[in-house]
PDB file of all heavy atoms in Angstrom:
ATOM      1  N   ASP A  99      -9.940  -1.561   9.965  1.00 98.00           N
ATOM      2  CA  ASP A  99      -9.411  -0.309  10.523  1.00 98.00           C
ATOM      3  C   ASP A  99     -10.536   0.656  10.877  1.00 98.00           C
ATOM      4  O   ASP A  99     -10.510   1.296  11.928  1.00 98.00           O
ATOM      5  CB  ASP A  99      -8.454   0.351   9.526  1.00 98.00           C
ATOM      6  CG  ASP A  99      -7.973   1.694  10.029  1.00 98.00           C
ATOM      7  OD1 ASP A  99      -7.200   1.707  11.001  1.00 98.00           O
ATOM      8  OD2 ASP A  99      -8.408   2.723   9.477  1.00 98.00           O
ATOM      9  N   ASP A 100     -11.521   0.766  10.011  1.00 98.00           N
ATOM     10  CA  ASP A 100     -12.630   1.681  10.270  1.00 98.00           C
ATOM     11  C   ASP A 100     -13.454   1.236  11.473  1.00 98.00           C
ATOM     12  O   ASP A 100     -14.021   2.071  12.185  1.00 98.00           O
ATOM     13  CB  ASP A 100     -13.511   1.824   9.015  1.00 98.00           C
ATOM     14  CG  ASP A 100     -12.827   2.667   7.951  1.00 98.00           C
ATOM     15  OD1 ASP A 100     -11.863   3.385   8.285  1.00 98.00           O
ATOM     16  OD2 ASP A 100     -13.239   2.594   6.771  1.00 98.00           O
ATOM     17  N   ASP A 103     -11.263   2.265  14.444  1.00 97.00           N
ATOM     18  CA  ASP A 103     -11.215   3.727  14.584  1.00 97.00           C
ATOM     19  C   ASP A 103     -12.595   4.343  14.775  1.00 97.00           C
ATOM     20  O   ASP A 103     -12.702   5.553  14.907  1.00 97.00           O
ATOM     21  CB  ASP A 103     -10.571   4.355  13.338  1.00 97.00           C
ATOM     22  CG  ASP A 103      -9.100   4.018  13.230  1.00 97.00           C
ATOM     23  OD1 ASP A 103      -8.527   3.539  14.218  1.00 97.00           O
ATOM     24  OD2 ASP A 103      -8.521   4.222  12.139  1.00 97.00           O
ATOM     25  N   ALA A 105     -14.672   4.887  12.523  1.00 97.00           N
ATOM     26  CA  ALA A 105     -14.764   5.895  11.460  1.00 97.00           C
ATOM     27  C   ALA A 105     -16.123   5.811  10.762  1.00 97.00           C
ATOM     28  O   ALA A 105     -16.627   4.721  10.517  1.00 97.00           O
ATOM     29  CB  ALA A 105     -13.639   5.670  10.443  1.00 97.00           C
ATOM     30  N   ARG A 108     -15.180   6.631   4.629  1.00 96.00           N
ATOM     31  CA  ARG A 108     -14.013   6.067   3.947  1.00 96.00           C
ATOM     32  C   ARG A 108     -14.171   6.393   2.468  1.00 96.00           C
ATOM     33  O   ARG A 108     -15.245   6.213   1.914  1.00 96.00           O
ATOM     34  CB  ARG A 108     -13.966   4.546   4.193  1.00 96.00           C
ATOM     35  CG  ARG A 108     -13.030   3.730   3.340  1.00 96.00           C
ATOM     36  CD  ARG A 108     -11.573   3.961   3.643  1.00 96.00           C
ATOM     37  NE  ARG A 108     -11.136   3.566   4.979  1.00 96.00           N
ATOM     38  CZ  ARG A 108      -9.891   3.807   5.423  1.00 96.00           C
ATOM     39  NH1 ARG A 108      -9.005   4.390   4.647  1.00 96.00           N
ATOM     40  NH2 ARG A 108      -9.575   3.452   6.656  1.00 96.00           N
TER      41      ARG A 108
HETATM   42 MG1   MG B 402      -8.377   4.726  10.244  1.00 54.05          MG
END
Side-chain angles (χ1 to χ4, degrees):
D99 176 70
D100 286 343
D103 292 346
R108 167 70 64 185

